[in-house]
Amino acid sequence: MGYGKRILQHAINLRKKGYSLDEIKNILHVSQSSVGLWVREVQLDQNAKGRIQYLRRNAREKAWKTISKKREKRTEQSRLWTEKKVRSIHLTKEQALLACSLLYWAEGGKTKKGVDFINSDPEMIKVFLRLFRYVFPVNETKLRICVHVHEYHNVKAIINFWSEITGIPPAQFHKPYIKPHTRKVIREGYMGCITIIYGDVEVLRKIIFTYKMFTRELDNGDMLQ
């Protein structure tokens, strides 16, 4: 389809004023490819360049807001779906044992002398101990904690922090392991890593046998209905 000189000149004039190809296309009701051909030789002054840059920034911001809103919506849908599922769960002791053993499989120590659970995440520590205390008749006086910290840490504050998280008194903490620090990176707010120690080989065996038997039964295909 051919276009008259008036339309071509109009497109050029608009471009010189800093109008985008999309704006010109919509004003003249022509294709964007045609506009691109007509204005490709146009020299833009600083005002025109500034307007086009502003339009590009504005377009990027709008696109980002649209993407963010869609992401927020998907996130909220996932949260609501999960909330409904999780709130319908009421763990039996057998299920709690399984959850406890799987956590230990992922984060437990390799010693054969007793239970050693190692982590720096307070929430994971609390979940493990809640399950552990629910499943087994734990002798609280046998629970021990070893804190791993760097030289720059306030050891007393960290021991008090982990004592509150675990419900284990500071008197049952081992001497902290102080890791040498290179001074290259200091992790603000990092409260160190701890090992929860419970010296009971029989409990350890039950935890290990649980996740091993679970994986075997899962492989057999009888557990998934």
Side-chain angles (χ1 to χ4, degrees):
M1 178 179 179
Y3 296 97
K5 289 184 179 181
R6 186 177 61 82
I7 292 180
L8 272 63
Q9 189 59 49
H10 194 182
I12 291 170
N13 291 339
L14 289 171
R15 186 60 172 172
K16 286 180 178 179
K17 292 178 182 179
Y19 280 70
S20 69
L21 301 185
D22 190 59
E23 285 181 308
I24 299 170
K25 173 198 74 173
N26 292 331
I27 291 171
L28 301 181
H29 304 290
V30 296
S31 69
Q32 188 162 315
S33 59
S34 295
V35 175
L37 288 173
W38 300 340
V39 304
R40 61 183 176 181
E41 302 297 333
V42 173
Q43 298 296 315
L44 302 175
D45 61 21
Q46 289 303 315
N47 289 334
K49 288 179 180 178
R51 187 179 188 279
I52 290 172
Q53 289 172 356
Y54 168 78
L55 290 173
R56 287 173 178 169
R57 285 196 303 270
N58 195 42
R60 284 196 296 267
E61 289 175 3
K62 286 183 178 179
W64 175 248
K65 287 180 181 178
T66 300
I67 292 170
S68 295
K69 286 181 180 179
K70 288 181 179 179
R71 184 186 296 116
E72 288 171 4
K73 183 178 180 180
R74 291 195 298 267
T75 299
E76 180 63 10
Q77 288 172 340
S78 296
R79 188 192 67 78
L80 291 173
W81 181 89
T82 305
E83 185 178 272
K84 182 179 179 181
K85 294 291 184 182
V86 171
R87 285 186 173 177
S88 68
I89 297 172
H90 301 283
L91 291 178
T92 64
K93 282 209 170 184
E94 289 76 15
Q95 292 166 333
L97 170 61
L98 176 59
C100 181
S101 69
L102 290 176
L103 274 177
Y104 192 84
W105 189 13
E107 301 295 332
K110 304 306 178 185
T111 178
K112 303 299 182 183
K113 297 179 181 179
V115 176
D116 287 352
F117 188 80
I118 308 159
N119 212 266
S120 61
D121 183 346
E123 291 303 316
M124 183 172 284
I125 291 292
K126 285 195 289 187
V127 168
F128 175 76
L129 278 174
R130 184 73 181 272
L131 292 168
F132 186 67
R133 285 167 166 150
Y134 177 62
V135 172
F136 299 105
V138 175
N139 181 347
E140 292 289 328
T141 63
K142 289 176 62 177
L143 282 167
R144 297 289 184 271
I145 289 182
C146 181
V147 176
H148 296 246
V149 293
H150 287 294
E151 294 169 333
Y152 60 83
H153 279 117
N154 182 330
V155 175
K156 184 177 180 181
I158 286 178
I159 287 176
N160 288 336
F161 170 81
W162 285 113
S163 177
E164 185 175 342
I165 291 294
T166 61
I168 299 171
Q172 290 175 219
F173 280 56
H174 288 314
K175 181 179 178 180
Y177 174 74
I178 310 296
K179 296 182 282 187
H181 183 57
T182 62
R183 305 291 176 183
K184 292 181 179 179
V185 178
I186 293 179
R187 296 169 62 183
E188 295 295 337
Y190 178 63
M191 301 304 289
C193 181
I194 70 168
T195 303
I196 298 170
I197 303 164
Y198 191 70
D200 191 317
V201 177
E202 187 61 29
V203 171
L204 175 65
R205 290 192 186 113
K206 289 176 180 177
I207 289 174
I208 293 173
F209 286 147
T210 297
Y211 68 70
K212 285 187 175 181
M213 187 169 294
F214 171 73
T215 56
R216 187 187 68 193
E217 293 300 313
L218 192 63
D219 285 340
N220 289 339
D222 296 332
M223 300 185 76
L224 299 178
Q225 302 297 325

